[in-house]
Amino acid sequence: MFNYIKADLYRIFHKRSNQFYWLILASLFLIFVTFSSANANFADNKSELTEMYFSLAVMSLALFGSLIISPQFYYAVYLDELNSKGFVRLFSSGLCKSEYIVAKIFSSLVYMIVVFAFLALVYVGGFGILALLNNGAPFFTINQVGLLFSLVAYLGLFTIAFSSLTNLIALKWQSGNIPLFLFFIISNGFIANLIRWLNQLPMIRNFDVSPYLLSTNTGTLQDALMNGTFYGQQGQLGNQPPSAQEALRTVDSIGFQPFVIIGMYIVVTTVISLFILKHSDIKDNE
């Protein structure tokens, strides 16, 4: 299994399209923040530079992380290999199907850690450049760093949970095109909204399934992280910067239930994926 993990990580990190994707994303972010601050004057209050830069990162992760970061993780780790030729050779070489499931989770974690570390270096480097252009500026507060870490952890949990759920289809079909589309549909709550609508039917309306849906619980975490991080939030002044402290306080108040339900989804879908894989004929995509 460890040999497969090493080979899998080698494949992922040496894939040119993966490298280009993150380089382009990092470049676009730096270009955007540079132009956003070009006409601003931070001479009187340099702390505004920190707040502006922090705001852009938080809002980008909160609004677009599930659309441009999580799907790439899922595709690079799981679906790219399914689309490649010779998927059957993985198991003909002696790799157990249970080892494959565990190895993919490990590969996903390592890939996410490395990518987020790269994005963090880009983020800090970009702030350093802006600080130098503005004759220095205060650095980030502990609460701001804590909120950014919380957002990163949320996206990691979000990716693993919805990857495990979508894999129920991907491993059955052994194709990466439709599952990627389904990942977008499922992770953005379209299926959950359909289930909620069906839940209004007379025969099942007495049992509310909404609190037990994966999208509901990931949405609870996302709402908590976004609380206090946007300008003009209800109860805030229109020009008040995001409050990392308030956002972290809200995260602490939601309790363990969303984490427990998300964890149960990961465990159950992983077990079902193993069952599907064990009872499916592996297709050679050549």
Side-chain angles (χ1 to χ4, degrees), residues 172-244:
K172 183 64 178 178
W173 289 351
Q174 296 176 35
S175 171
N177 297 320
I178 295 178
L180 181 61
F181 172 74
L182 291 176
F183 183 90
F184 278 101
I185 296 297
I186 296 172
S187 63
N188 286 284
F190 291 103
I191 301 299
N193 288 332
L194 176 61
I195 294 174
R196 292 189 187 99
W197 179 77
L198 293 174
N199 198 203
Q200 302 301 313
L201 296 175
M203 62 187 69
I204 57 175
R205 67 173 52 176
N206 292 328
F207 181 70
D208 185 12
V209 300
S210 182
Y212 308 102
L213 297 176
L214 181 57
S215 294
T216 300
N217 290 276
T218 56
T220 298
L221 298 181
Q222 185 183 40
D223 291 343
L225 287 166
M226 291 172 65
N227 180 56
T229 62
F230 292 93
Y231 290 87
Q233 180 188 347
Q234 185 177 2
Q236 290 183 320
L237 298 175
N239 61 350
Q240 185 174 340
S243 172

Side-chain angles (χ1 to χ4, degrees), residues 11-71:
R11 172 189 64 82
I12 294 170
F13 287 117
H14 285 77
K15 183 84 172 178
R16 289 296 178 88
S17 59
N18 294 338
Q19 297 172 359
F20 285 139
Y21 186 88
W22 298 116
L23 286 173
I24 292 173
L25 193 65
S27 300
L28 289 175
F29 174 77
L30 292 178
I31 292 172
F32 176 72
V33 296
T34 301
F35 279 101
S36 297
S37 61
N39 298 322
N41 183 7
F42 301 105
D44 297 330
N45 186 3
K46 292 187 175 64
S47 64
E48 291 182 359
L49 175 60
T50 300
E51 293 166 354
M52 180 275 295
Y53 199 66
F54 166 75
S55 304
L56 290 174
V58 167
M59 288 187 282
S60 298
L61 285 175
L63 290 175
F64 306 115
S66 61
L67 296 174
I68 63 176
I69 292 181
S70 295

Side-chain angles (χ1 to χ4, degrees), residues 150-190:
S150 298
L151 274 167
V152 167
Y154 161 74
L155 286 175
L157 185 63
F158 179 95
T159 302
I160 292 175
F162 282 105
S163 295
S164 299
L165 184 59
T166 311
N167 271 345
L168 300 179
I169 300 170
L171 292 176
K172 183 64 178 178
W173 289 351
Q174 296 176 35
S175 171
N177 297 320
I178 295 178
L180 181 61
F181 172 74
L182 291 176
F183 183 90
F184 278 101
I185 296 297
I186 296 172
S187 63
N188 286 284
F190 291 103

Side-chain angles (χ1 to χ4, degrees), residues 20 53 71 82 86 93 101-102 110 126 130 181 183 232 253 266 281:
F20 285 139
Y53 199 66
L82 285 175
S93 63
I101 298 294
V102 175
V110 173
L130 289 182
F181 172 74
F183 183 90
S253 68
I266 294 174
D281 293 328

